[in-house]
Amino acid sequence: MPGEPDDCAPLDAPAPTGWQQAGSGDYDYQGSTVSRGIDLDVCQFDNVAHAKAAYDQWPDTDETAPLDTGRVGEESVFLAHSGSSGTVYGYSRSGTVIARVEVEDAGADPTDAHDVLAATIKRLQQVQAGQRATATAPEIAAMAETQR
């Protein structure tokens, strides 16, 4: 759904310079043994410099530890909350687009965060290149393996 300017800002901050549009989505995954809440924010900026500046401010490193996982887009970082929440945060930038995902109850496993960001960034790159937008699970898994 359409997002708001503050969806693109770090906590309690105004919209970043160059913000153009945003989208957000909330998903509840109800598995047979595991359930997770997934929140995704995607932001478009007017140029790469503004996207990079906003991306650099996004990751909240308080009470988190970095996770080693494959890169998504031009740059990305994955963080696990060090408390008992088991929440994983993923942040990625590709060109003028930045995306962040929060996966609740992930148990410090970055797989879901990585897959959501990878599919989102790949689809956005295809659309920006004027190509048909496709992102399948096997493509994402193959891409992740080549980056490890």
Side-chain angles (χ1 to χ4, degrees):
M1 66 184 198
E4 300 292 326
D6 59 351
D7 290 339
C8 299
L11 295 175
D12 300 324
T17 302
W19 173 85
Q20 290 187 326
Q21 59 185 343
S24 63
D26 298 325
Y27 311 94
D28 287 320
Y29 169 76
Q30 301 295 321
S32 60
T33 58
V34 175
S35 298
R36 290 187 171 89
I38 301 173
D39 295 325
L40 173 69
D41 291 310
V42 179
C43 298
Q44 174 80 43
F45 290 84
D46 59 354
N47 64 51
V48 173
H50 287 147
K52 173 109 174 88
Y55 170 82
D56 289 343
Q57 294 177 3
W58 250 2
D60 181 4
T61 56
D62 289 342
E63 298 182 24
T64 61
L67 297 169
D68 187 25
T69 189
R71 184 174 53 98
V72 175
E74 293 172 32
E75 55 186 321
S76 60
V77 64
F78 294 87
L79 304 168
H81 189 272
S82 57
S84 61
S85 72
T87 301
V88 171
Y89 305 92
Y91 305 89
S92 181
R93 183 189 65 79
S94 181
T96 60
V97 174
I98 59 176
R100 68 179 160 200
V101 65
E102 176 183 341
V103 181
E104 297 172 353
D105 300 317
D109 179 354
T111 305
D112 290 338
H114 182 275
D115 290 352
V116 169
L117 281 181
T120 302
I121 293 296
K122 180 177 180 184
R123 184 174 176 99
L124 289 167
Q125 288 170 336
Q126 290 170 329
V127 170
Q128 290 175 15
Q131 300 170 355
R132 183 174 175 181
T134 62
T136 66
E139 289 173 337
I140 299 305
M143 185 173 56
E145 283 301 314
T146 61
Q147 291 182 353
R148 288 187 181 161

